[in-house]
Amino acid sequence: HVQLVESGGGSLQPGGSLTLSCVASGYTANRRCMGWFRQAPGQKREAVAALYTAGDSTFYADSVKGRFTISRDKGQKILYLQMNNLQGEDTAVYFCSEHTGDCDSPIRYWGQGTQVTVS
């Protein structure tokens, strides 16, 4: 049974930085892509960043390019999202995700989410 558990959310002022972590437990065959999504109140869940586990190619939403960095600790099965220069529009619940295949494939597993509030 696979579990994704996020941590690191919090409240901070605009311009601040925060690092989210996602610990993956359990075995998954063909874990090709993992990523981060976010959902603001009243909004649809949107993709923020994704990373291929083979080769570590990364992808970012235009709204976070240059400010957010996705990375992973291969040995510890931890996915990170470093967020810099946070702004009010970054306020959302952030979810860790594992795709069924490539980074444009459906999501196989979701974490429970961690709240980030910028004000």
Side-chain angles (χ1 to χ4, degrees):
H1 177 64
V2 172
Q3 276 194 311
L4 303 176
V5 180
E6 304 97 332
S7 62
S11 297
L12 69 167
Q13 294 182 343
S17 297
L18 208 57
T19 298
L20 306 182
S21 300
C22 170
V23 178
S25 63
Y27 172 77
T28 298
N30 192 28
R31 178 176 281 159
R32 285 178 52 80
C33 178
M34 297 193 70
W36 291 93
F37 285 70
R38 68 185 181 187
Q39 187 167 18
Q43 302 295 316
K44 292 183 179 179
R45 193 170 296 189
E46 63 173 357
V48 174
L51 175 149
Y52 275 104
T53 58
D56 289 334
S57 295
T58 57
F59 303 90
Y60 297 95
D62 288 343
S63 58
V64 306
K65 279 181 183 176
R67 300 189 299 123
F68 289 13
T69 302
I70 186 172
S71 63
R72 70 188 183 112
D73 181 324
K74 299 177 186 179
Q76 299 298 319
K77 296 183 180 179
I78 303 175
L79 186 72
Y80 299 102
L81 185 67
Q82 170 69 42
M83 305 184 293
N84 297 324
N85 191 24
L86 284 160
Q87 302 299 319
E89 53 266 33
D90 296 314
T91 295
V93 178
Y94 284 72
F95 298 90
C96 177
S97 63
E98 178 181 316
H99 292 252
T100 56
D102 290 341
C103 289
D104 59 354
S105 66
I107 303 301
R108 175 160 50 194
Y109 297 111
W110 291 102
Q112 84 287 352
T114 185
Q115 176 71 46
V116 173
T117 303
V118 185
S119 64

